[in-house]
Amino acid sequence: MHFPEMIKYLKVRREMLQVTQEMLAELAGVSLRTLKQFESGRGNPTLQTLSKLADALGLELTFKVKTLSVNK
Amino acid sequence: MHFPEMIKYLKVRREMLQVTQEMLAELAGVSLRTLKQFESGRGNPTLQTLSKLADALGLELTFKVKTLSVNK
DNA sequence: CACAAAAGAGCAGTAAAATGCACTTTAATA
DNA sequence: TATTAAAGTGCATTTTACTGCTCTTTTGTG
């Protein structure tokens, strides 16, 4: 999952939960400015920031072993 | 997956692949200093840094929906 | 269209991540 | 035990993430 996908995923998740950026920022304990930057693709959040956001959205960061598929 | 677990996971993965910190740092395009700090728990890497490391280890960052379990 | 709420962005200050260099500690093994 | 590779750390510098404030743009609803 690369950058743009992660952003999209979190954004969709937020909207699905009907939470505004303002609410999420507050819930997550992240500044609104930072969240806005992140969602608009202008960011490289720290793991802590990303975790806080994921957490507030009921998500968890995990690793997945990449599989080597021949045909993409 | 929280901070200490992620560190542990990546470290174990690296060792499983018999890769030294030095090799991984080079492969991932991350400075050795940064990797050392991260693995020794003294860090809060940016998403970019974490992604590079995961990538080089054949791992992918993903989100997982947290389930609300009654009895933990 | 008019209005309001939500989202996006410029600017500047502060905090902290990333980096390089040099040194110390730990672990493996001859 | 001596040697050496790998891992860990202190310090200083550079880069950049985080933040608040303010303003603009977009979106949606009457």
Side-chain angles (χ1 to χ4, degrees):
Chain A
M1 210 178 196
H2 294 97
F3 219 96
E5 303 166 78
M6 297 188 87
I7 294 174
K8 189 69 184 173
Y9 188 89
L10 289 188
K11 193 164 181 170
V12 166
R13 173 79 178 173
R14 176 176 64 76
E15 287 165 348
M16 196 189 333
L17 298 175
Q18 304 203 17
V19 173
T20 64
Q21 289 183 339
E22 199 167 3
M23 292 164 76
L24 175 55
E26 174 135 2
L27 283 171
V30 168
S31 85
L32 180 57
R33 195 68 187 43
T34 296
L35 175 55
K36 283 174 185 292
Q37 284 193 45
F38 173 62
E39 282 199 4
S40 59
R42 238 165 289 274
N44 176 23
T46 59
L47 177 52
Q48 189 173 60
T49 295
L50 188 65
S51 291
K52 284 185 190 169
L53 293 175
D55 234 58
L57 291 171
L59 299 172
E60 195 186 5
L61 262 175
T62 65
F63 291 113
K64 190 168 155 296
V65 178
K66 282 189 290 189
T67 54
L68 304 174
S69 55
V70 182
N71 53 317
K72 186 253 157 76
Chain B
M1 211 178 194
H2 293 96
F3 220 97
E5 302 166 78
M6 298 188 86
I7 294 175
K8 188 70 184 174
Y9 188 89
L10 290 188
K11 193 165 184 171
V12 166
R13 174 78 177 174
R14 176 176 64 74
E15 288 165 348
M16 198 189 329
L17 298 175
Q18 304 203 16
V19 173
T20 64
Q21 288 182 340
E22 199 168 2
M23 293 164 76
L24 175 56
E26 174 134 2
L27 283 170
V30 167
S31 85
L32 180 55
R33 197 69 222 316
T34 296
L35 175 56
K36 283 174 185 294
Q37 284 194 47
F38 174 62
E39 281 199 4
S40 61
R42 240 165 289 275
N44 176 24
T46 60
L47 177 52
Q48 188 173 60
T49 295
L50 188 64
S51 291
K52 284 184 188 169
L53 292 175
D55 234 57
L57 291 172
L59 299 173
E60 195 186 6
L61 263 174
T62 65
F63 291 112
K64 191 169 156 293
V65 178
K66 282 188 289 187
T67 54
L68 305 174
S69 57
V70 183
N71 52 316
K72 157 50 194 279

